Amino acid sequence: MDSTKFDFSTRAIHHGYEPGNEQGSLNPPIYLTSTFAFDTAEEGGEMFTGEREGHFYSRISNPTLDHLEQRIASLEGAEAGLCAASGMGAITSTLWSFLSAGDEIIADKTLYGCTFAFMAHGLPRFGVKVTLVDFTDADNLAAAISDQTKVVYFETPANPNNRLVDIAAVSEIAHSVGAKVIVDNTYATPVITRPIAHGADIVVHSATKFLSGHGDVIAGLIVGSKEDMTHVRLVGLKDMTGAVMSPLTAMLLLRGIKTLELRVARHCESAGKVAAFLEAHPAVKSVSYPGLASFAQADLARRQMAMFGGMIPFEVVGGKAGGIAMMNRLNLITRAVSLGDAESLIQHPASMTHATYTREEREKHGIAEGLVRLSVGLEGVQDLIDDLQTALNAHNQFAA
Ligand code: 7XF
């Protein structure tokens, strides 16, 4: 069946898998095997040189992962996909594949904490020059870029503060010197933004989040051209990190992705209501949600995002102490890192996901000490608002 012509949700359910090839099994079998038998020794040798196609060792490829790779490539509008053991496995396998000593990577200044640590402390140890600039103004990239720049990297919306980057504007500048554009699309998912259509070359995901949707796996995905994905598979993933996804995880992701569009629509609908509630509450100092009229980059949000996401960073009156006290008063919303789960999760970036930055770095990179970050889940939205209201009403007295 040619599923390429189908709607997003149809492809999320069917693309890349034919039950008829697997004894009619509605769901793909989990090929829980590390290795694959060769008919002849010669055939095995040919697979190692690439003269013959086929699976021969699950660090290189596996049939269950193969279905997922085709599916995510289709949803992101890319030629090919690749699975990894975690979001960090996806990011590092990709960057190790395209950077060498003497090269430069230019990244946006707001990044998930461990991506920032890899840039600030990991890559420079191997002779890669790392430059972090503010991509919300693409002119900053134009001023910094040179022939030494091999990769341009960013998140949009960025973790944790929802800053947006204009993918088309940044890609045009990057391509003027032949640099590859790599976008972390974890926050948006392909339901909201497909970076390849805006000019990016490669998309990486922490599939731990919305793509899985159920908080039961650590996983990463990568998409791009066939040539780039083969390069990442054989260099970054196979030799440099070995950060390979388990077939069991691939099956859970294939299951989660079937409902991705439905879930993301609900996350966004509820987040819009929660953001409006928070903005109107006197104990809340600021809310950064792309769907609010007050959002600093509201025009770009409308141009680049089909919906406005499930993530709400906000500050309450009383800074860090106020934020922590409010978090501790919540009963339904769970105090935990991660995002995109059915359960609403709340965390404090400065002491948790972004504790890899020093306090000075957080200030320079736009991550306020008092910021709390809410991942709006799939519960009844009024229950979430009631929980926040109880915590914030008590906060009013606390602040006064
Ligand atoms: O290796 P992971 O699957 O945990 O993914 C790393 C990662 C990569 N990119 C973005 C935009 C991410 O948000 C993450 C993981 N973030 C979690 C969070 O912000 O809550 C990690 C919890 S410490």
Side-chain angles (χ1 to χ4, degrees):
M1 177 174 68
D2 174 20
S3 53
T4 53
K5 63 181 192 307
F6 289 132
D7 174 76
F8 185 94
S9 266
T10 313
R11 284 180 285 123
I13 295 166
H14 292 280
H15 188 78
Y17 180 63
E18 293 278 357
N21 296 339
E22 298 286 358
Q23 308 199 49
S25 173
L26 180 67
N27 278 301
I30 304 166
Y31 280 86
L32 217 46
T33 186
S34 49
T35 198
F36 299 81
F38 306 128
D39 278 346
T40 64
E42 289 82 356
E43 186 185 288
E46 284 164 19
M47 286 191 182
F48 271 80
T49 59
E51 292 161 82
R52 181 187 281 268
E53 291 220 333
H55 303 289
F56 58 95
Y57 190 62
S58 285
R59 180 154 41 76
I60 294 97
S61 69
N62 173 287
T64 315
L65 274 62
D66 191 51
H67 301 312
L68 176 57
E69 287 165 356
Q70 290 186 48
R71 191 158 299 175
I72 189 65
S74 168
L75 298 182
E76 284 284 6
E79 239 173 47
L82 195 54
C83 299
S86 64
M88 286 312 298
I91 293 164
T92 55
S93 297
T94 304
L95 292 179
W96 288 133
S97 301
F98 295 107
L99 291 169
S100 302
D103 291 343
E104 179 187 39
I105 174 171
I106 306 185
D108 181 41
K109 70 174 191 175
T110 305
L111 299 166
Y112 161 59
C114 294
T115 306
F116 172 77
F118 182 63
M119 302 267 182
H121 310 300
L123 286 173
R125 287 175 48 220
F126 298 87
V128 175
K129 183 179 173 200
V130 177
T131 305
L132 302 178
V133 301
D134 182 351
F135 282 12
T136 57
D137 183 350
D139 288 346
N140 294 330
L141 173 64
I145 207 161
S146 73
D147 290 341
Q148 197 189 351
T149 313
K150 295 294 179 288
V151 172
V152 166
Y153 185 98
F154 57 94
E155 302 168 4
T156 182
N159 185 354
N161 52 19
N162 274 352
R163 287 165 70 258
L164 303 184
V165 174
D166 185 330
I167 303 168
V170 162
S171 298
E172 196 182 324
I173 296 164
H175 291 154
S176 71
V177 298
K180 272 200 198 304
V181 177
I182 304 177
V183 180
D184 183 330
N185 200 30
T186 300
Y187 261 46
T189 83
V191 177
I192 293 176
T193 305
R194 288 164 216 152
I196 305 262
H198 295 272
D201 301 297
I202 293 176
V203 171
V204 291
H205 277 283
S206 169
T208 311
K209 314 291 158 53
F210 293 100
L211 294 180
S212 140
H214 295 78
D216 48 11
V217 296
I218 294 285
L221 289 167
I222 315 164
V223 303
S225 69
K226 178 98 187 99
E227 188 186 351
D228 282 351
M229 291 306 98
T230 301
H231 183 62
V232 177
R233 185 191 298 276
L234 297 180
V235 176
L237 197 60
K238 174 171 83 67
D239 295 344
M240 300 192 73
T241 67
V244 178
M245 183 185 283
S246 144
L248 201 56
T249 298
M251 176 59 215
L252 287 168
L253 272 171
L254 283 162
R255 179 166 76 167
I257 287 172
K258 287 182 190 183
T259 55
L260 180 68
E261 193 176 33
L262 270 177
R263 288 186 288 102
V264 168
R266 171 68 176 257
H267 283 290
C268 294
E269 186 193 338
S270 294
K273 291 177 184 164
V274 172
F277 160 77
L278 287 171
E279 192 172 47
H281 198 286
V284 174
K285 202 174 113 194
S286 65
V287 184
S288 176
Y289 184 70
L292 291 174
S294 61
F295 186 68
Q297 298 165 288
D299 287 347
L300 177 58
R302 271 160 191 77
R303 262 190 288 132
Q304 196 170 271
M305 303 175 79
M307 291 176 251
F308 301 118
M311 301 300 296
I312 310 179
F314 65 103
E315 283 185 78
V316 299
V317 172
K320 178 178 172 180
I324 298 275
M326 185 278 301
M327 282 172 65
N328 286 336
R329 282 194 293 269
L330 293 165
N331 286 316
L332 171 61
I333 296 171
T334 307
R335 287 169 289 278
V337 296
S338 206
L339 53 121
D341 290 341
E343 296 80 0
S344 293
L345 307 177
I346 196 160
Q347 66 109 7
H348 175 242
S351 64
M352 297 174 190
T353 54
H354 293 70
T356 51
Y357 291 73
T358 63
R359 196 190 169 96
E360 294 71 37
E361 284 167 341
R362 277 193 297 274
E363 191 179 337
K364 196 169 145 208
H365 294 248
I367 302 160
E369 292 301 294
L371 198 72
V372 292
R373 190 197 70 184
L374 175 63
S375 170
V376 177
L378 302 176
E379 302 96 337
V381 67
Q382 195 55 48
D383 294 331
L384 300 176
I385 290 173
D386 289 349
D387 197 31
L388 287 161
Q389 183 146 40
T390 306
L392 288 167
N393 287 353
H395 189 79
N396 261 346
Q397 294 146 25
F398 165 85

